[in-house]
Amino acid sequence: MYELVEGQVVRAEFSAVPYTWIRSKEPTKSICIMLPGLGYTTQRPLFHYSTGICLNQNIDVLHINYQFANNEHFKKLPKPEQEQWMYDDVNAVVDEVLKERSYDQCFLLSKSIGTIPMAIEWTQRNFIRNAMGIWLTPLIKMDNVYQALLNTELPSLCVIGDQDHHYNEERISVITTNHLVDTVVIPNTEHSIEVKGDVLATIDALKIAVKQIHEFVKKHKD
């Protein structure tokens, strides 16, 4: 049985970060920390089904529901400061949650802009332990995200569409040389893993993505 814990971490004057922690009533070894996109929230299909996959595998789930798109102070900052803000928000929520329960294993699942703080954590390793990475539509045109994926020493899954405006064929080709990264390119899909103008094809594309996530989680869970 699971219980839902909803809270908010106030990190700074203009930074309040809501979160939802779905945790087993009995201690479990693993947690999946989910970092959504700017407009693609944890209520959207990829996160909804990924949450179900984790709960079915006895993995607790933490949704970090940052709201950068609505934060005027955030939007005025230069990009380097925005990236640090995002990471500090994520780190603050994780610190708060891990005060109450420790885990032996962490899956970190991010989409789009969420791959920015994930890339920073992949370098700094402040909170991930025995970690696995799920990178959904990563911003691989950004050098820090690209380098984090390319050089990862942690098992990772990368899922992206070939019509995504962040897709870069050359960089994806190089990432595939890292044997720790399972790279999946879904044809005809854009940044939301959707086929423009075709609902049924979009459902098929989402099924591919969700199946890959399921297989990765099942393979690597302790």
Short mmCIF file of all heavy atoms in Angstrom, two decimals, residues 119-160:
data_model
loop_
_atom_site.label_atom_id
_atom_site.label_comp_id
_atom_site.label_asym_id
_atom_site.label_seq_id
_atom_site.Cartn_x
_atom_site.Cartn_y
_atom_site.Cartn_z
N ALA A 119 21.64 16.71 -15.45
CA ALA A 119 23.02 16.70 -15.95
C ALA A 119 23.98 17.24 -14.90
O ALA A 119 25.10 16.73 -14.74
CB ALA A 119 23.12 17.52 -17.23
N ILE A 120 23.56 18.27 -14.17
CA ILE A 120 24.41 18.82 -13.11
C ILE A 120 24.62 17.78 -12.01
O ILE A 120 25.74 17.57 -11.53
CB ILE A 120 23.79 20.11 -12.53
CG1 ILE A 120 23.72 21.20 -13.62
CG2 ILE A 120 24.59 20.60 -11.32
CD1 ILE A 120 22.97 22.45 -13.18
N GLU A 121 23.54 17.11 -11.62
CA GLU A 121 23.66 16.08 -10.58
C GLU A 121 24.53 14.92 -11.05
O GLU A 121 25.27 14.33 -10.27
CB GLU A 121 22.28 15.58 -10.16
CG GLU A 121 22.29 14.43 -9.16
CD GLU A 121 22.99 14.76 -7.85
OE1 GLU A 121 23.16 15.95 -7.52
OE2 GLU A 121 23.38 13.81 -7.14
N TRP A 122 24.45 14.62 -12.32
CA TRP A 122 25.26 13.52 -12.87
C TRP A 122 26.76 13.81 -12.71
O TRP A 122 27.57 12.91 -12.60
CB TRP A 122 24.91 13.31 -14.34
CG TRP A 122 24.49 11.93 -14.67
CD1 TRP A 122 25.02 11.12 -15.64
CD2 TRP A 122 23.44 11.17 -14.06
NE1 TRP A 122 24.37 9.91 -15.65
CE2 TRP A 122 23.40 9.91 -14.70
CE3 TRP A 122 22.53 11.41 -13.04
CZ2 TRP A 122 22.49 8.92 -14.35
CZ3 TRP A 122 21.62 10.43 -12.69
CH2 TRP A 122 21.61 9.20 -13.35
N THR A 123 27.09 15.11 -12.67
CA THR A 123 28.48 15.52 -12.49
C THR A 123 28.84 15.64 -11.01
O THR A 123 29.89 15.18 -10.57
CB THR A 123 28.73 16.88 -13.18
OG1 THR A 123 28.40 16.74 -14.57
CG2 THR A 123 30.18 17.29 -13.05
N GLN A 124 27.93 16.25 -10.22
CA GLN A 124 28.25 16.55 -8.83
C GLN A 124 27.95 15.41 -7.86
O GLN A 124 28.60 15.27 -6.83
CB GLN A 124 27.49 17.81 -8.40
CG GLN A 124 27.89 19.04 -9.18
CD GLN A 124 27.28 20.32 -8.63
OE1 GLN A 124 26.65 20.32 -7.56
NE2 GLN A 124 27.46 21.41 -9.34
N ARG A 125 26.93 14.64 -8.17
CA ARG A 125 26.54 13.49 -7.35
C ARG A 125 26.36 13.86 -5.88
O ARG A 125 26.98 13.28 -4.97
CB ARG A 125 27.55 12.35 -7.50
CG ARG A 125 27.69 11.86 -8.94
CD ARG A 125 28.39 10.53 -9.03
NE ARG A 125 28.66 10.17 -10.40
CZ ARG A 125 29.15 9.00 -10.80
NH1 ARG A 125 29.42 8.08 -9.90
NH2 ARG A 125 29.37 8.75 -12.07
N ASN A 126 25.48 14.80 -5.65
CA ASN A 126 25.18 15.22 -4.28
C ASN A 126 24.15 14.32 -3.60
O ASN A 126 24.16 14.18 -2.38
CB ASN A 126 24.70 16.67 -4.26
CG ASN A 126 25.83 17.65 -4.48
OD1 ASN A 126 26.92 17.48 -3.95
ND2 ASN A 126 25.59 18.67 -5.29
N PHE A 127 23.23 13.76 -4.39
CA PHE A 127 22.19 12.96 -3.75
C PHE A 127 21.93 11.61 -4.39
O PHE A 127 21.28 10.77 -3.80
CB PHE A 127 20.87 13.75 -3.65
CG PHE A 127 20.29 14.21 -4.96
CD1 PHE A 127 19.61 13.35 -5.79
CD2 PHE A 127 20.40 15.54 -5.34
CE1 PHE A 127 19.06 13.78 -6.99
CE2 PHE A 127 19.85 16.00 -6.54
CZ PHE A 127 19.18 15.11 -7.37
N ILE A 128 22.39 11.39 -5.62
CA ILE A 128 22.12 10.08 -6.23
C ILE A 128 23.02 9.02 -5.61
O ILE A 128 24.19 9.24 -5.36
CB ILE A 128 22.29 10.11 -7.77
CG1 ILE A 128 23.69 10.63 -8.16
CG2 ILE A 128 21.20 10.94 -8.42
CD1 ILE A 128 23.97 10.52 -9.65
N ARG A 129 22.43 7.87 -5.36
CA ARG A 129 23.16 6.74 -4.82
C ARG A 129 22.78 5.50 -5.63
O ARG A 129 21.61 5.22 -5.83
CB ARG A 129 22.78 6.50 -3.35
CG ARG A 129 23.09 7.67 -2.42
CD ARG A 129 24.59 7.83 -2.19
NE ARG A 129 24.86 8.89 -1.23
CZ ARG A 129 24.97 10.18 -1.53
NH1 ARG A 129 24.81 10.57 -2.79
NH2 ARG A 129 25.22 11.07 -0.60
N ASN A 130 23.81 4.79 -6.10
CA ASN A 130 23.53 3.59 -6.89
C ASN A 130 22.49 3.93 -7.96
O ASN A 130 21.44 3.31 -8.04
CB ASN A 130 23.04 2.46 -5.98
CG ASN A 130 22.97 1.13 -6.72
OD1 ASN A 130 23.55 0.96 -7.79
ND2 ASN A 130 22.24 0.18 -6.15
N ALA A 131 22.79 4.93 -8.77
CA ALA A 131 21.77 5.59 -9.59
C ALA A 131 21.65 5.02 -10.99
O ALA A 131 22.60 4.47 -11.56
CB ALA A 131 22.07 7.08 -9.68
N MET A 132 20.46 5.18 -11.54
CA MET A 132 20.15 4.87 -12.93
C MET A 132 19.46 6.09 -13.53
O MET A 132 18.68 6.77 -12.85
CB MET A 132 19.21 3.67 -13.04
CG MET A 132 19.59 2.49 -12.17
SD MET A 132 21.11 1.67 -12.72
CE MET A 132 21.46 0.66 -11.28
N GLY A 133 19.73 6.38 -14.79
CA GLY A 133 19.18 7.58 -15.40
C GLY A 133 18.23 7.30 -16.55
O GLY A 133 18.53 6.48 -17.42
N ILE A 134 17.09 7.98 -16.54
CA ILE A 134 16.14 7.90 -17.66
C ILE A 134 15.99 9.30 -18.20
O ILE A 134 15.43 10.18 -17.55
CB ILE A 134 14.79 7.31 -17.20
CG1 ILE A 134 14.98 5.91 -16.62
CG2 ILE A 134 13.80 7.29 -18.37
CD1 ILE A 134 13.74 5.32 -15.98
N TRP A 135 16.49 9.52 -19.40
CA TRP A 135 16.54 10.83 -20.03
C TRP A 135 15.50 10.86 -21.15
O TRP A 135 15.70 10.25 -22.20
CB TRP A 135 17.92 11.10 -20.61
CG TRP A 135 19.07 10.92 -19.67
CD1 TRP A 135 19.55 9.74 -19.15
CD2 TRP A 135 19.91 11.95 -19.13
NE1 TRP A 135 20.62 9.96 -18.34
CE2 TRP A 135 20.88 11.31 -18.31
CE3 TRP A 135 19.95 13.34 -19.27
CZ2 TRP A 135 21.86 12.02 -17.62
CZ3 TRP A 135 20.93 14.04 -18.60
CH2 TRP A 135 21.87 13.39 -17.78
N LEU A 136 14.40 11.55 -20.94
CA LEU A 136 13.34 11.63 -21.94
C LEU A 136 13.44 12.97 -22.68
O LEU A 136 13.45 14.03 -22.05
CB LEU A 136 11.96 11.50 -21.28
CG LEU A 136 11.75 10.24 -20.43
CD1 LEU A 136 10.35 10.24 -19.81
CD2 LEU A 136 11.96 8.97 -21.26
N THR A 137 13.54 12.91 -23.99
CA THR A 137 13.74 14.09 -24.85
C THR A 137 14.78 15.05 -24.26
O THR A 137 14.50 16.22 -24.03
CB THR A 137 12.41 14.83 -25.14
OG1 THR A 137 11.88 15.39 -23.94
CG2 THR A 137 11.39 13.89 -25.74
N PRO A 138 15.99 14.56 -24.01
CA PRO A 138 17.02 15.40 -23.40
C PRO A 138 17.43 16.55 -24.32
O PRO A 138 17.37 16.44 -25.55
CB PRO A 138 18.18 14.42 -23.19
CG PRO A 138 17.98 13.37 -24.23
CD PRO A 138 16.50 13.21 -24.34
N LEU A 139 17.88 17.63 -23.70
CA LEU A 139 18.29 18.81 -24.46
C LEU A 139 19.74 18.64 -24.92
O LEU A 139 20.65 19.35 -24.47
CB LEU A 139 18.13 20.07 -23.61
CG LEU A 139 16.75 20.29 -22.98
CD1 LEU A 139 16.67 21.66 -22.32
CD2 LEU A 139 15.63 20.14 -24.01
N ILE A 140 19.95 17.71 -25.84
CA ILE A 140 21.32 17.32 -26.19
C ILE A 140 22.05 18.37 -27.02
O ILE A 140 23.25 18.24 -27.24
CB ILE A 140 21.37 15.95 -26.91
CG1 ILE A 140 20.51 15.96 -28.16
CG2 ILE A 140 20.98 14.83 -25.96
CD1 ILE A 140 20.69 14.72 -29.01
N LYS A 141 21.35 19.40 -27.48
CA LYS A 141 22.06 20.50 -28.14
C LYS A 141 22.81 21.36 -27.12
O LYS A 141 23.69 22.14 -27.49
CB LYS A 141 21.09 21.35 -28.95
CG LYS A 141 20.57 20.64 -30.21
CD LYS A 141 19.68 21.54 -31.04
CE LYS A 141 19.22 20.83 -32.30
NZ LYS A 141 18.33 21.69 -33.13
N MET A 142 22.46 21.20 -25.85
CA MET A 142 23.20 21.88 -24.78
C MET A 142 24.40 21.02 -24.40
O MET A 142 24.26 19.82 -24.15
CB MET A 142 22.30 22.10 -23.56
CG MET A 142 21.13 23.02 -23.82
SD MET A 142 20.15 23.30 -22.31
CE MET A 142 21.39 24.04 -21.23
N ASP A 143 25.56 21.63 -24.36
CA ASP A 143 26.78 20.85 -24.16
C ASP A 143 26.82 20.11 -22.84
O ASP A 143 27.31 18.97 -22.78
CB ASP A 143 28.01 21.78 -24.26
CG ASP A 143 28.29 22.23 -25.69
OD1 ASP A 143 27.77 21.58 -26.62
OD2 ASP A 143 29.00 23.23 -25.87
N ASN A 144 26.30 20.72 -21.76
CA ASN A 144 26.38 20.05 -20.46
C ASN A 144 25.50 18.80 -20.41
O ASN A 144 25.88 17.78 -19.83
CB ASN A 144 26.03 21.01 -19.32
CG ASN A 144 24.67 21.64 -19.45
OD1 ASN A 144 24.08 21.67 -20.53
ND2 ASN A 144 24.16 22.17 -18.35
N VAL A 145 24.32 18.86 -21.05
CA VAL A 145 23.46 17.68 -21.10
C VAL A 145 24.08 16.61 -21.99
O VAL A 145 24.13 15.42 -21.64
CB VAL A 145 22.05 18.06 -21.61
CG1 VAL A 145 21.19 16.80 -21.78
CG2 VAL A 145 21.39 19.03 -20.64
N TYR A 146 24.57 17.03 -23.13
CA TYR A 146 25.22 16.10 -24.07
C TYR A 146 26.41 15.40 -23.42
O TYR A 146 26.53 14.17 -23.48
CB TYR A 146 25.66 16.88 -25.30
CG TYR A 146 26.53 16.10 -26.26
CD1 TYR A 146 26.08 14.93 -26.88
CD2 TYR A 146 27.84 16.54 -26.55
CE1 TYR A 146 26.88 14.22 -27.76
CE2 TYR A 146 28.64 15.85 -27.44
CZ TYR A 146 28.17 14.69 -28.03
OH TYR A 146 28.97 13.99 -28.91
N GLN A 147 27.27 16.16 -22.76
CA GLN A 147 28.45 15.57 -22.14
C GLN A 147 28.09 14.64 -20.98
O GLN A 147 28.73 13.59 -20.79
CB GLN A 147 29.39 16.69 -21.65
CG GLN A 147 30.05 17.49 -22.76
CD GLN A 147 31.00 16.66 -23.61
OE1 GLN A 147 31.57 15.67 -23.14
NE2 GLN A 147 31.19 17.06 -24.85
N ALA A 148 27.05 14.99 -20.24
CA ALA A 148 26.62 14.13 -19.13
C ALA A 148 26.17 12.76 -19.64
O ALA A 148 26.51 11.72 -19.07
CB ALA A 148 25.50 14.80 -18.35
N LEU A 149 25.42 12.78 -20.74
CA LEU A 149 24.96 11.52 -21.32
C LEU A 149 26.11 10.75 -21.97
O LEU A 149 26.25 9.54 -21.80
CB LEU A 149 23.88 11.80 -22.35
CG LEU A 149 22.44 11.42 -22.00
CD1 LEU A 149 21.48 11.89 -23.07
CD2 LEU A 149 22.31 9.92 -21.78
N LEU A 150 26.91 11.48 -22.73
CA LEU A 150 27.99 10.84 -23.47
C LEU A 150 28.98 10.15 -22.55
O LEU A 150 29.45 9.05 -22.82
CB LEU A 150 28.72 11.89 -24.33
CG LEU A 150 29.97 11.42 -25.09
CD1 LEU A 150 29.61 10.32 -26.08
CD2 LEU A 150 30.63 12.59 -25.79
N ASN A 151 29.28 10.80 -21.42
CA ASN A 151 30.33 10.30 -20.53
C ASN A 151 29.82 9.60 -19.29
O ASN A 151 30.60 9.30 -18.39
CB ASN A 151 31.23 11.47 -20.12
CG ASN A 151 31.92 12.12 -21.31
OD1 ASN A 151 32.50 11.43 -22.15
ND2 ASN A 151 31.84 13.45 -21.41
N THR A 152 28.52 9.32 -19.24
CA THR A 152 27.97 8.72 -18.04
C THR A 152 28.63 7.37 -17.73
O THR A 152 28.91 6.57 -18.63
CB THR A 152 26.45 8.54 -18.14
OG1 THR A 152 25.97 7.99 -16.90
CG2 THR A 152 26.05 7.59 -19.27
N GLU A 153 28.88 7.17 -16.46
CA GLU A 153 29.35 5.88 -15.97
C GLU A 153 28.22 5.14 -15.26
O GLU A 153 28.45 4.12 -14.61
CB GLU A 153 30.54 6.09 -15.02
CG GLU A 153 31.74 6.75 -15.71
CD GLU A 153 32.86 7.08 -14.74
OE1 GLU A 153 32.64 6.94 -13.52
OE2 GLU A 153 33.94 7.47 -15.20
N LEU A 154 27.01 5.69 -15.39
CA LEU A 154 25.83 5.11 -14.75
C LEU A 154 24.87 4.63 -15.84
O LEU A 154 24.67 5.32 -16.84
CB LEU A 154 25.14 6.17 -13.89
CG LEU A 154 26.00 6.87 -12.85
CD1 LEU A 154 25.25 8.04 -12.23
CD2 LEU A 154 26.45 5.89 -11.78
N PRO A 155 24.30 3.44 -15.69
CA PRO A 155 23.36 2.95 -16.70
C PRO A 155 22.26 3.96 -16.98
O PRO A 155 21.67 4.53 -16.05
CB PRO A 155 22.80 1.68 -16.05
CG PRO A 155 23.86 1.23 -15.11
CD PRO A 155 24.46 2.49 -14.58
N SER A 156 21.98 4.19 -18.25
CA SER A 156 21.03 5.23 -18.63
C SER A 156 20.20 4.81 -19.83
O SER A 156 20.64 4.01 -20.67
CB SER A 156 21.75 6.54 -18.96
OG SER A 156 22.37 7.09 -17.82
N LEU A 157 19.01 5.39 -19.90
CA LEU A 157 18.13 5.22 -21.05
C LEU A 157 17.87 6.60 -21.63
O LEU A 157 17.51 7.53 -20.91
CB LEU A 157 16.81 4.57 -20.62
CG LEU A 157 15.68 4.56 -21.67
CD1 LEU A 157 16.05 3.64 -22.84
CD2 LEU A 157 14.37 4.10 -21.02
N CYS A 158 18.05 6.74 -22.93
CA CYS A 158 17.80 8.00 -23.63
C CYS A 158 16.71 7.77 -24.67
O CYS A 158 16.87 6.91 -25.54
CB CYS A 158 19.08 8.50 -24.29
SG CYS A 158 18.86 9.91 -25.40
N VAL A 159 15.61 8.51 -24.57
CA VAL A 159 14.50 8.38 -25.51
C VAL A 159 14.24 9.75 -26.14
O VAL A 159 14.03 10.74 -25.43
CB VAL A 159 13.21 7.88 -24.81
CG1 VAL A 159 12.07 7.76 -25.82
CG2 VAL A 159 13.47 6.54 -24.13
N ILE A 160 14.22 9.80 -27.47
CA ILE A 160 14.01 11.07 -28.16
C ILE A 160 13.37 10.80 -29.52
O ILE A 160 13.51 9.71 -30.09
CB ILE A 160 15.37 11.82 -28.33
CG1 ILE A 160 15.14 13.28 -28.73
CG2 ILE A 160 16.30 11.09 -29.28
CD1 ILE A 160 16.40 14.15 -28.62
#
